[in-house]
Amino acid sequence: MIDNEEIKRAEEQYSASSIQVLEGLEAVRKRPSMYIGDIGERGLHHLVYEVVDNCIDEAMAGFCSDVEVTILEDNSVRVKDNGRGIPTGMHEKEGRSALEVVLTVLHAGGKFDKSSYKVSGGLHGVGVSCVNALSDLLIAEIHREGKIFVQKYSKGKPLGDVEVVGEASDTGTTITFHPDATIFQQTIVYKYDTLANRLRELAFLNKGIRITLTDLREQVEEFVTDANGDSKATGRMVFRHDEFHSDEGLKQFIEYLDAGASQLIPEPICVNSDKIIPIDIALSYNTGYSEKIYSYVNNIHTIEGGTHLQGFKMGLSRTLKNYADKAGLLAKFKGELSPEDFREGLTAVISVKVAEPQFEGQTKTKLGNSEVTAAVSQATGAAVDIYLEEHPREAKLIIEKIVLAATARAAARKAREMVQRKTVMTGAGMPGKLADCSERDPEKCELFLVEGDSAGGTAKQGRDRRVQAILPLRGKILNVEKAAGDRAFESQEVRNIYTALGVTVAQEDETGEKHMDLSKLRYHKVIIMTDADVDGSHIACLILTFFFRYMFDLIKNGYVYLATPPLYLVKKGKEEVYCWTDGQREEATQRLGRGSDKGVTVQRYKGLGEMSDQQLWDTTMNPDTRLLRQITIENAAQAERTFSMLMGDDVPPRRQFIEENAHYANIDA
Ligand code: 0RA
């Protein structure tokens, strides 16, 4: 309830705002990370999402069907929609155009009346004004009331008044902005795939909207496939372009996520409710064993879950259990069902809209609103119950799978206890492949997870034995998708990892959150060291996915790192320079060659195994000179999503990925 006092206060604040406005946008420029999260690549892309979110709001209000995003040649981005157009008339309280208010007042967002139920809005929900503040040029073009209006800004300040530049027969808003390189010092280069993945996700989350992405920068040469299946260049240059559109929303999102996995039930189960809050859920079971749940609040991916996820898990387990009991499907089952058993092979997307979301957790992407739990639990329960009643055959398949999961889990637990008992009795236990360090204080100890036995050998030679331990790994075995329930952890390679670490995988508490006991963790730096090539990144991605799914707390506590081996060695006589980028390589070649590249050799490192132990130490392992990249929750989530969503390719991505993994299998076999 809003009382009169509150309205009055708000009005007073509004009229004083001509001064506050400037302060507002200057504050954004002074501390941009406070408003958009960071000023690296993430923040840069966030600018686009912030503008697009406004178009989505307009679409959700029923006034917009198309959004076109274009990356221009100078890394400007143009976002065009066919909504009503931002109003350009005088804003009475402000004494200037409404357009100017939207573009210069923090949180003005778009809608002025409080009653409008604005639930979209980016992670930081700061609005277009923030984008304006952080752009060295922003052009707003509005088609409205038969006219074309234009206004330009730089760093949040208008360069002139709103001008009428022509006549319009349509309506809509086009915002074109160029990110300010003095703010985004690291990079202003947009990544097509990053934008594509987010826009695809938005199209699934907001069914009916058509979103296009076009890249006018790099021109890619067109390839065609001939009758023999060979790819041939046509000599034609093409722009990258994608169109994202989903008529069925989350149902199709699930089909996209699970493309290639064989399904246990023919169609995803859908949950739709508007009773307490808008709830939109789709779920399906495949014949695999891993659990994939993506949750969203107001279109924001909630990496750390929260009350909506909790409600979903509760509602799902409760309903399945009740049904199984009632249908007598558990009559022969003597064991116990644990919460995870209900989610083996489950793929689900949960999307809720919350008017005043409270975000918690390290990444501020964990929903805290307690009232959401019951709402989602009830909605899920009701819809799943109806589904089970109407689909007895599918219901039976699902319950059988759950029972199988429980049985496998119990067997695995027994086997693990046996191993543990043996380990305690014999005192042995550390994996044979582990070259441990001598130090025992975990804070000082580092564990290198190294791709391949050969690189592992080099690392063992090159390391500081006192504090650095080495565990060689084979990439393929980490494919935990392939094994049932806890049996995933019975693979030798995976067991080596957690035995060396001294911990077990996370256990679920009563709210469905997973926690680990880290008190026995033997190393406070877990460093993934793979080749600096595509295969190496894939293996790093696999390991990160494993940690993300089963040892999340390691990442959350900042214990996981990536090593960064160099790409080149530039040499002339006795002078040697390691290089990590092409820029460094060129610079080093020029410097050593004193202006010419005569007598300079450039060695491209193909893998860790090509380096000597001394070189590996110098470049990648020596704490005084190496570059470690600490893995954040967002990084790991991204790796997991890359793995699961197999993003951004026209080629059937799942198959490509499987082929790549089969490739590892062949190397190792
Ligand atoms: C304020 C009021 C109205 C629409 C918008 C803003 C609006 C903002 C953006 C940002 C990007 N695209 C947008 N489209 C619309 C309502 C206008 C009316 O009542 O006619």
Side-chain angles (χ1 to χ4, degrees), residues 11-54:
E11 277 173 0
E12 278 161 17
Q13 276 167 8
Y14 248 128
S15 41
S17 62
S18 35
I19 308 157
Q20 286 179 352
V21 171
L22 254 186
E23 277 178 11
L25 290 198
E26 239 139 56
V28 176
R29 289 186 58 81
K30 250 190 206 135
R31 302 171 120 201
S33 342
M34 262 190 53
Y35 298 88
I36 56 163
D38 67 62
I39 48 169
E41 208 168 276
R42 253 166 49 88
L44 179 77
H45 289 78
H46 193 85
L47 299 182
V48 181
Y49 308 151
E50 202 67 59
V51 181
V52 171
D53 279 336
N54 284 278

Side-chain angles (χ1 to χ4, degrees), residues 51 54-55 58 81 84-87 102 110-112 128 144 173:
V51 181
N54 284 278
C55 311
E58 188 69 1
D81 70 50
R84 287 168 294 180
I86 304 176
V102 170
K111 319 294 186 265
F112 302 114
V128 202
R144 204 181 150 93
T173 303

Side-chain angles (χ1 to χ4, degrees), residues 569-573 585-603:
L569 175 61
V570 180
K571 243 177 163 169
K572 185 176 179 183
R585 184 202 60 205
E586 273 157 37
E587 193 266 338
T589 309
Q590 289 300 312
R591 189 156 48 85
L592 295 193
R594 320 271 183 279
S596 96
D597 55 11
K598 249 195 163 169
V600 181
T601 59
V602 177
Q603 183 190 342

